[in-house]
Amino acid sequence: MPKTSSGDKATYVCIAPSEPNPPTPPTSFTSFTDVKPGAYYAEPVNWAVESGITAGTGNGKFSHEKTCTRGQIVTFLYNARNL
């Protein structure tokens, strides 16, 4: 599996659900200190947090600059299974 930029984390968690009518993304406000409001990935990150798919990497961070691991992707998919 190729390495992915962790900005892609939000993409994985946003496309993981296969509902015909996905939920409306939240506002661009974020509780993570490393995700700036208005960033292109802020809304999917907030949606993923509100949906229980991710809680970030700890200490108030999402770590969008780090590489997304296979384990993180599997966790996102596992947590999204009942959406």
Side-chain angles (χ1 to χ4, degrees):
M1 179 176 209
K3 287 187 176 182
T4 57
S5 70
S6 57
D8 291 336
K9 289 178 190 178
T11 303
Y12 283 112
V13 297
C14 193
I15 63 172
S18 58
E19 293 183 52
N21 298 313
T24 304
T27 64
S28 62
F29 169 76
T30 180
S31 60
F32 296 112
T33 58
D34 61 344
V35 177
K36 294 180 182 176
Y40 75 92
Y41 51 86
E43 289 180 7
V45 166
N46 288 334
W47 172 82
V49 170
E50 289 178 4
S51 298
I53 295 171
T54 186
T57 57
N59 296 322
K61 295 187 183 263
F62 183 71
S63 300
H64 62 283
E65 295 295 327
K66 291 190 176 183
T67 301
C68 189
T69 67
R70 291 180 196 177
Q72 288 170 320
I73 294 170
V74 169
T75 301
F76 298 150
L77 295 173
Y78 179 81
N79 290 344
R81 74 193 179 287
N82 292 321
L83 292 181

